[in-house]
Amino acid sequence: IMAVHTGCRISELLALTYNDISGNMLSVNKQLSKELVIEPLGVKTRDAVTDRQKTTTSQRTLPLNSVVLRELEDHRLWHLNEMMKRGYRTEYIFTTSNGTLYGRRNVLRALERVYKRVGVPCKAFHVYRHTFGTNLCKNGVPIQTASKLLGHKDINMTAKYYVNVGMDEKVKAVETIAFQGL
């Protein structure tokens, strides 16, 4: 729901905290990264950490619609109950059952299981971001606005990769000139 209704990248969603939400606005200003840790015996591990985003245009404030706000409220109540039950505290919105940050790969594997269970071909997580951009433009939102909501520096990126024009839009476009000048 968050991905389809905000256009956030998976790394941005996994780094979100409840403090990033103020009223109906979401501040997207960090992402989940991996940090290499070398342990005393030379063992290398990767820890999930939050980090600043690569570009300043990726840092943005997004309005949240009523669907997302309702789901976030339900999630927060569930999450508070889980924290009480399991004895941990966190400000992060999406955590494991002991309060640690989810690894990106774990989320993708869980998503693959959901796709398999419902009999849908597996899609990359980024498809939700594309869906967000496409839905905005299909509903008459100017591409400049969609580009800002997606955090793109250039609307050409939005136009090239995020606005998918379906056959019904093409037919409708051609029909608009069917009787002109004849």
Side-chain angles (χ1 to χ4, degrees):
I1 288 172
M2 288 287 290
V4 157
H5 288 267
T6 65
C8 286
R9 298 168 182 93
I10 188 171
S11 58
E12 294 168 338
L13 290 173
L14 293 176
L16 289 178
T17 66
Y18 291 106
N19 292 329
D20 294 326
I21 301 166
S22 178
N24 70 334
M25 302 302 277
L26 174 67
S27 177
V28 181
N29 55 23
K30 59 192 168 301
Q31 64 184 2
L32 188 70
S33 300
K34 288 183 182 177
E35 183 178 74
L36 183 64
V37 177
I38 301 175
E39 308 209 351
L41 298 175
V43 178
K44 297 176 187 176
T45 61
R46 294 204 180 267
D47 286 347
V49 295
T50 57
D51 198 6
R52 299 297 290 172
Q53 291 167 303
K54 292 182 270 186
T55 65
T56 55
T57 53
S58 290
Q59 296 172 23
R60 58 204 187 278
T61 301
L62 302 172
L64 298 173
N65 65 34
S66 59
V67 171
V68 173
L69 291 169
R70 202 169 35 251
E71 290 295 326
L72 276 170
E73 184 58 33
D74 289 349
H75 178 77
R76 186 172 192 149
L77 293 173
W78 170 85
H79 200 199
L80 285 169
N81 188 41
E82 285 295 302
M83 286 189 281
M84 294 295 287
K85 203 167 32 173
R86 298 178 185 276
Y88 70 90
R89 285 277 186 256
T90 183
E91 275 299 310
Y92 288 99
I93 295 173
F94 304 110
T95 64
T96 64
S97 60
N98 63 358
T100 60
L101 293 172
Y102 272 114
R104 177 188 171 112
R105 289 184 64 199
N106 291 342
V107 173
L108 297 177
R109 278 195 296 262
L111 191 57
E112 286 173 12
R113 287 192 301 272
V114 170
Y115 280 133
K116 187 175 182 178
R117 188 174 62 238
V118 297
V120 174
C122 191
K123 305 284 184 200
F125 193 88
H126 215 67
V127 76
Y128 300 115
R129 186 166 162 80
H130 287 266
T131 300
F132 176 73
T134 301
N135 286 342
L136 288 173
C137 292
K138 275 185 177 180
N139 286 290
V141 173
I143 194 165
Q144 296 89 341
T145 304
S147 184
K148 293 289 184 194
L149 289 169
L150 288 162
H152 290 156
K153 184 173 19 178
D154 186 347
I155 66 167
N156 291 321
M157 171 70 84
T158 310
K160 185 174 182 180
Y161 296 108
Y162 291 86
V163 180
N164 301 314
V165 180
M167 187 53 72
D168 52 330
E169 285 92 5
K170 292 176 186 176
V171 169
K172 189 175 174 182
V174 171
E175 286 297 321
T176 63
I177 61 167
F179 297 105
Q180 292 179 354
L182 292 179

